[in-house]
Amino acid sequence: RGVDLEQGTTERKNLTYKKSKSMVVENTFLRECMAEILGSFVLLLFGDGVVAQVVLSGNDAGSYLSINLCWGIGVVFGIHAAGGIS
């Protein structure tokens, strides 16, 4: 049958490389802004999520302590997400 599996793999890698290369943002200012937006999004996702959980459950699924801990986790994850760029 003569199917060259390695050739198909190489073509896929080249296509993936071309797609990923086209999505690279070279403008440093724009990259920093996008990183800050991502970090803020992660922070608000965790923080607002835990507040909604506690409020909507009537303190059955969390307390003031869980709100504080999750906001702290949101800060850590937000810094981790954006820290390498901004």
Side-chain angles (χ1 to χ4, degrees):
R1 295 264 225 181
V3 176
D4 188 8
L5 295 177
E6 190 172 312
Q7 178 66 25
T9 304
T10 304
E11 289 175 4
R12 257 186 278 128
K13 285 182 182 178
N14 287 338
L15 182 62
T16 304
Y17 176 75
K18 287 179 185 177
K19 284 184 179 179
S20 65
K21 190 70 174 169
S22 67
M23 297 178 69
V24 172
V25 177
E26 304 231 354
N27 186 345
T28 307
F29 180 71
L30 183 60
R31 284 178 49 193
E32 290 177 358
C33 289
M34 289 171 50
E36 289 294 326
I37 290 169
L38 176 65
S40 299
F41 174 75
V42 171
L43 168 66
L44 290 174
L45 182 72
F46 276 88
D48 290 344
V50 72
V51 169
Q53 173 186 329
V54 171
V55 170
L56 293 175
S57 71
N59 288 341
D60 290 336
S63 64
Y64 186 70
L65 177 63
S66 65
I67 292 175
N68 291 329
L69 290 174
C70 283
W71 273 102
I73 289 170
V75 169
V76 170
F77 284 164
I79 290 171
H80 181 72
I85 297 171
S86 64

